[in-house]
Amino acid sequence: MTIIRQIGLLLGLCFAAHCVEALLPFAFPASVIAMLMLLACLLCGLLRHGRMRETSDFLLNNMAFFFVPAGVSVINYLDLLASNALALIAVCVLSTVVTFAATAYSVRLVCRLQARAAARRAAR
């Protein structure tokens, strides 16, 4: 029963995010709003991390099922994808390189910040 309650809570956050999206004067994805609302609830202590563990583990373990509809939809547009294959491949390669670079620089920045914080603690 716990997983059902937790999924109900997540669905409630998603519903609230859709309501917020409808009120916004600009386009913003409701899924991102829902994630920000969930983060705010976790940071403010309204939700404890352990309370959502069962549901998050369940959803992560069954993540492949969520990609089946998208995969089936791709089949419907194979002719469109084939006509734009070079552009799609270029975008995929470029976005992968940019993502790798952003991740590498983020890790380097965090390592530097942690080293500075450790040096400050050692100096005290």
Side-chain angles (χ1 to χ4, degrees):
M1 189 67 170
T2 313
I3 290 178
I4 293 173
R5 277 194 220 127
Q6 292 172 1
I7 288 177
L9 177 67
L10 290 176
L11 290 175
L13 280 173
C14 288
F15 177 74
H18 279 284
C19 293
V20 169
E21 178 193 29
L23 296 174
L24 290 176
F26 51 88
F28 201 80
S31 58
V32 175
I33 295 170
M35 285 191 287
L36 292 173
M37 291 170 67
L38 180 61
L39 177 64
C41 289
L42 288 168
L43 291 176
C44 293
L46 295 173
L47 278 176
R48 288 190 310 263
H49 175 262
R51 289 186 58 110
M52 299 304 290
R53 178 169 296 285
E54 286 180 70
T55 301
S56 61
D57 289 343
F58 172 78
L59 292 172
L60 286 172
N61 289 335
N62 297 299
M63 187 183 296
F65 292 115
F66 299 117
F67 289 99
V68 170
V72 171
S73 295
V74 165
I75 293 171
N76 292 331
Y77 298 102
L78 280 178
D79 56 336
L80 180 65
L81 293 172
S83 66
N84 296 313
L86 288 176
L88 290 171
I89 290 171
V91 167
C92 288
V93 169
L94 183 65
S95 64
T96 300
V97 169
V98 169
T99 301
F100 284 168
T103 302
Y105 286 120
S106 297
V107 168
R108 291 175 77 185
L109 176 65
V110 168
C111 288
R112 275 192 234 134
L113 292 174
Q114 287 178 339
R116 269 192 216 154
R120 285 183 192 148
R121 276 186 256 131
R124 288 183 194 174

